[in-house]
Amino acid sequence: MDIVRTRAFNHEGPRRDIHGALASFAYQIARIERGLQPPVIQVGNLEAKRNFTDVRDTVRAYFLAMEKGEAGELYLIGTDQIYTIQECLDMLIARSTHRAMITYQVDPKRVRPTELRTFIGKFDKFKHLTQWTPTYSLQETLVAVLDYWRNFLDTGMY
């Protein structure tokens, strides 16, 4: 069998379950904007560093891996843009209609004792093979995630 292996690092986008940090933050912000919770976001470890790739870019990368990848090879997929979870939270809050009133607090239940402080990869091999680069910025992804949760609440899906 011709098998091409990939390892996609952190990818984010609309419809992500609220167990992920960015989706959780966006969901809580949407709830705050709709008056469904006090203006305090519950967070975990904000010092962790990650590279977030938009899920739409990740899917495009999978297609390229199938099209151009060599059987038996492993390709790491991700972006070179590194952010702390704190920076991501700040970007989401900045996009809120209630940004002036929102605060956050660490919930010990959301802090994973075994979490890696930095989790990033080296993606040169895949980029060289496919010329793949992400087309969505983290800011665009965060807007899409926040808008998804706003719409989700507005349509009564949760």
Side-chain angles (χ1 to χ4, degrees), residues 82-97:
I82 310 302
Y83 296 93
T84 64
I85 302 300
Q86 174 76 60
E87 290 172 314
C88 296
L89 174 61
D90 292 343
M91 284 187 257
L92 278 165
I93 292 172
R95 284 157 178 75
S96 174
T97 58

Side-chain angles (χ1 to χ4, degrees), residues 62-83:
Y62 288 156
F63 179 80
L64 288 170
M66 290 186 294
E67 184 178 70
K68 298 184 178 191
E70 296 179 32
E73 290 294 320
L74 170 64
Y75 300 101
L76 303 182
I77 298 171
T79 178
D80 297 324
Q81 300 293 316
I82 310 302
Y83 296 93

Side-chain angles (χ1 to χ4, degrees), residues 24-35:
S24 172
F25 300 159
Y27 174 64
Q28 291 180 74
I29 289 169
R31 287 179 48 83
I32 291 166
E33 291 175 348
R34 302 314 185 253

Side-chain angles (χ1 to χ4, degrees), residues 39-60:
V40 180
I41 300 172
Q42 300 297 314
V43 302
N45 176 17
L46 297 177
E47 295 175 5
K49 293 181 182 177
R50 300 289 185 265
N51 54 342
F52 290 101
T53 305
D54 191 287
V55 68
R56 296 165 287 189
D57 285 325
T58 303
V59 169
R60 191 168 46 84

Side-chain angles (χ1 to χ4, degrees), residues 133-152:
T133 57
T135 57
Y136 294 92
S137 69
L138 179 60
Q139 293 79 8
E140 291 172 304
T141 303
L142 293 176
V143 167
V145 171
L146 184 54
D147 285 346
Y148 170 78
W149 286 110
R150 287 170 173 153
N151 183 59
F152 204 80

